[in-house]
Amino acid sequence: MLSELTDDIILNILWKIEDDPRDWARLSCVSTKLNSLIHDFCWKNKTSLIIPSQLLVSSSQDHSLHKLPFCCPGLVHAGILFNTADSPEENQHQQSITSSSSTPSCSLVQQSNECSTYWSLYDDLYHDTLYADSESNHQQEQEESKENTIRTGVVDVPPESKKIKVNGSLSSHLATGKWTLSREQGSKLLARQFRDDCLYVCDWPGCVHLEEKRKYRVFRGVFMNFKKTRVWKTVNDCSNRRKIDLPCAFCSCNHTWDLHSAFCLRRGFGYHDDGEPVVRAFVCDNGHVSGAWTDVPMYT
Amino acid sequence: MAQEASSSTSSKTISLKTGDGEIFEIEASAAKQMKTVQRLIDDLGDDITIPLHNVFSKELPKIIEYYKKDITGEITKDFEAEFVKDLNDDEVKVLFLAANYLDANKLFEFLSQNIADRLESKSVEYVRKYFGVENDFTPEEESKLREERAWSFRGIKEDE
């Protein structure tokens, strides 16, 4: 039937499936024709409404940019499941966990099975994961969002098999919260000396994940003209110590830079009692940023 | 006995002949809503049976039913829901293509929305089957696309 329809007619149908961004993303896998229509018209139009124009103009309009407003990197790519301790065993642990390919869903299952002798955040996080849904932009959830209801998704972990179902909240998934990006949010993150760098981050509170230990406000963002920023110069000048095997959620970069330990983030956020930083952020070579805010500990 | 230039009154009916040879009557005011029909009337006159080669007796009555309601201003959400309720995907497709051919805009828009609703949250394979398209990506291209879009394959309801 598709061959009988003109592009206008197909687009007319596609425009009517725009509420859930996942539909367009999946529809672009149907055929080359749908892919080019969705890329050239649907995504382009939609992102022009939510991404600031200076950023649009300076970026290549590929799927990374189209996906950024809507796709939460998940706990994986925000580095929350990444053990950043420096001991040799834990380095080995972090290597084997995160040297997975950029499709974390299957490979993480295998990796975590191999690492079952180590304690890791996986064990805590894979049980009773709550997925908070506040300030959602979804049409069908507009009534719910006013009451800030919480959607509960329990990850089942049969202890004997240690086969872990990696649900949406762990790897990248459709973000709750706002789908707009602003420079203002980005500037709240960066240390003063980087104030001239343009970092666009999704509007507050990002995609909220309620975990057993604490609440994570997972955010995503992108630097404009990243290779010309001071942040890039800083991370690039530092030794490879700061570069970690944590793949980017938005492109094919297999490693990212830890902005926290590169002192690019605003000072004073501090740490929790268990050593977790209050804020963390990771940037890839293309300037895509994934990270998470947590609540500042009340008693320090 | 002289014919006036535009003699169509609201009570006048037009005869339509489907591609499989059946004849249906439609109010002239309803025919006006289908631009293809109206163009044919303008060319051939309204006393002649208008041939519709690409529309068949299975779907034309349904289209006529829709426009009968339209000219009396009775199209409601309930009516539209009822209209498509028992139609399977293929029947909607056939109606949609007919509405496109007839340039019947209101019905066309309504059916576009209905098709969109039917495709929401469906799998890639389902949509391919629905549109009758082959997968024309190379395995490498498809693999890359799916990897980039892995986020969108989560949390989707299964196809019925």
Side-chain angles (χ1 to χ4, degrees):
Chain A
M1 167 168 121
L2 202 71
S3 49
E4 297 168 67
L5 304 177
T6 62
D7 288 356
D8 281 345
I9 293 174
I10 301 170
L11 278 171
N12 194 26
I13 297 175
L14 291 174
W15 290 128
K16 293 167 165 51
I17 318 181
E18 72 164 311
D19 287 347
D20 186 335
R22 290 175 296 186
D23 282 311
W24 281 353
R26 285 195 327 282
L27 285 169
S28 58
C29 299
V30 166
S31 70
T32 54
K33 159 134 280 194
L34 280 188
N35 188 29
S36 58
L37 286 177
I38 289 171
H39 180 272
D40 295 342
F41 296 98
C42 303
W43 280 130
K44 224 174 195 159
N45 181 274
K46 188 146 185 148
T47 50
S48 73
L49 300 172
I50 42 185
I51 293 181
S53 50
Q54 315 92 288
L55 179 60
L56 267 183
V57 157
S58 67
S59 313
S60 69
Q61 293 253 11
D62 57 8
H63 188 67
S64 306
L65 191 68
H66 294 159
K67 139 180 178 186
L68 201 82
F70 314 104
C71 173
C72 172
L75 302 179
V76 170
H77 299 284
I80 292 158
L81 300 182
F82 191 89
N83 191 339
T84 53
D86 280 318
S87 68
E89 296 86 6
E90 277 155 323
N91 271 337
Q92 193 186 10
H93 171 62
Q94 83 195 22
Q95 285 283 33
S96 53
I97 285 176
T98 59
S99 60
S100 54
S101 67
S102 44
T103 47
S105 48
C106 308
S107 46
L108 267 179
V109 174
Q110 294 148 14
Q111 301 296 354
S112 56
N113 279 339
E114 289 165 43
C115 300
S116 56
T117 50
Y118 297 102
W119 170 86
S120 74
L121 283 173
Y122 281 116
D123 301 299
D124 283 348
L125 290 166
Y126 283 172
H127 296 87
D128 299 329
T129 297
L130 298 173
Y131 186 48
D133 180 7
S134 59
E135 296 174 67
S136 164
N137 264 344
H138 299 197
Q139 255 183 329
Q140 65 268 30
E141 288 160 20
Q142 260 162 17
E143 296 104 71
E144 288 175 12
S145 69
K146 286 183 189 130
E147 301 158 71
N148 276 339
T149 53
I150 295 172
R151 256 190 290 142
T152 308
V154 177
V155 182
D156 289 329
V157 185
E160 66 285 356
S161 65
K162 272 276 187 184
K163 274 197 171 51
I164 292 151
K165 188 170 96 177
V166 181
N167 77 355
S169 66
L170 295 167
S171 39
S172 55
H173 54 278
L174 182 70
T176 59
K178 296 189 179 150
W179 290 336
T180 44
L181 306 176
S182 71
R183 191 179 167 187
E184 202 186 312
Q185 270 307 115
S187 61
K188 287 179 185 163
L189 205 56
L190 296 175
R192 285 207 72 224
Q193 64 266 36
F194 302 103
R195 63 184 172 277
D196 291 333
D197 291 345
C198 294
L199 170 61
Y200 292 86
V201 168
C202 62
D203 282 316
W204 185 261
C207 184
V208 182
H209 292 235
L210 289 178
E211 302 296 326
E212 203 178 297
K213 268 206 185 127
R214 56 182 55 97
K215 181 158 59 170
Y216 297 95
R217 295 186 180 85
V218 182
F219 59 82
R220 66 262 179 214
V222 63
F223 280 94
M224 190 166 88
N225 295 324
F226 183 53
K227 296 287 165 68
K228 299 199 175 118
T229 63
R230 193 164 169 177
V231 167
W232 167 248
K233 191 168 188 308
T234 306
V235 297
N236 213 22
D237 285 349
C238 289
S239 67
N240 283 337
R241 190 160 58 93
R242 308 264 185 258
K243 192 165 92 173
I244 56 176
D245 288 328
L246 179 67
C248 176
F250 301 101
C251 66
S252 53
C253 286
N254 279 323
H255 63 265
T256 47
W257 307 89
D258 180 351
L259 290 173
H260 187 269
S261 46
F263 300 106
C264 294
L265 301 184
R266 201 166 274 212
R267 300 290 183 85
F269 288 131
Y271 292 84
H272 293 279
D273 283 344
D274 57 5
E276 261 200 88
V278 169
V279 187
R280 76 196 82 204
F282 301 88
V283 67
C284 75
D285 285 351
N286 292 319
H288 303 127
V289 174
S290 300
W293 296 93
T294 57
D295 292 326
V296 175
M298 292 229 302
Y299 309 105
T300 46
Chain B
M1 290 283 266
Q3 294 269 355
E4 285 162 13
S6 45
S7 59
S8 308
T9 62
S10 56
S11 59
K12 186 167 174 62
T13 59
I14 308 286
S15 294
L16 303 175
K17 186 172 176 185
T18 63
D20 50 344
E22 280 197 43
I23 298 186
F24 295 90
E25 302 290 319
I26 187 173
E27 310 263 332
S29 48
K32 248 196 170 66
Q33 306 303 320
M34 303 181 214
K35 296 206 188 90
T36 304
V37 175
Q38 191 54 50
R39 277 194 290 271
L40 286 166
I41 292 171
D42 292 342
D43 287 344
L44 304 170
D46 53 11
D47 282 333
I48 220 168
T49 301
I50 305 293
L52 299 175
H53 302 299
N54 284 345
V55 184
F56 296 86
S57 54
K58 188 138 192 281
E59 59 267 19
L60 189 57
K62 203 85 172 129
I63 297 173
I64 292 173
E65 180 198 333
Y66 187 87
Y67 277 102
K68 250 196 177 111
K69 278 280 190 214
D70 184 41
I71 56 176
T72 55
E74 285 174 1
I75 291 190
T76 59
K77 284 272 175 253
D78 286 341
F79 168 75
E80 285 185 330
E82 197 59 37
F83 188 79
V84 289
K85 197 177 73 160
D86 296 322
L87 298 177
N88 64 33
D89 286 347
D90 281 324
E91 286 164 336
V92 171
K93 254 193 285 188
V94 165
L95 268 177
F96 174 74
L97 290 170
N100 181 40
Y101 169 77
L102 293 169
D103 207 349
N105 194 55
K106 190 160 181 167
L107 179 61
F108 178 74
E109 280 297 317
F110 165 55
L111 292 173
S112 297
Q113 182 64 61
N114 192 249
I115 289 177
D117 294 342
R118 284 167 193 251
L119 294 178
E120 249 174 43
S121 301
K122 291 296 200 298
S123 69
V124 172
E125 292 71 27
Y126 184 99
V127 177
R128 277 188 191 140
K129 198 157 162 254
Y130 189 89
F131 280 129
V133 293
E134 294 288 321
N135 176 11
D136 57 348
F137 291 114
T138 65
E140 295 76 26
E141 282 170 343
E142 186 172 13
S143 164
K144 180 168 185 273
L145 275 177
R146 281 187 181 252
E147 204 172 285
E148 285 173 350
R149 289 148 179 77
W151 64 282
S152 68
F153 285 88
R154 297 186 183 108
I156 299 297
K157 70 173 188 246
E158 293 300 315
D159 294 345
E160 273 125 46

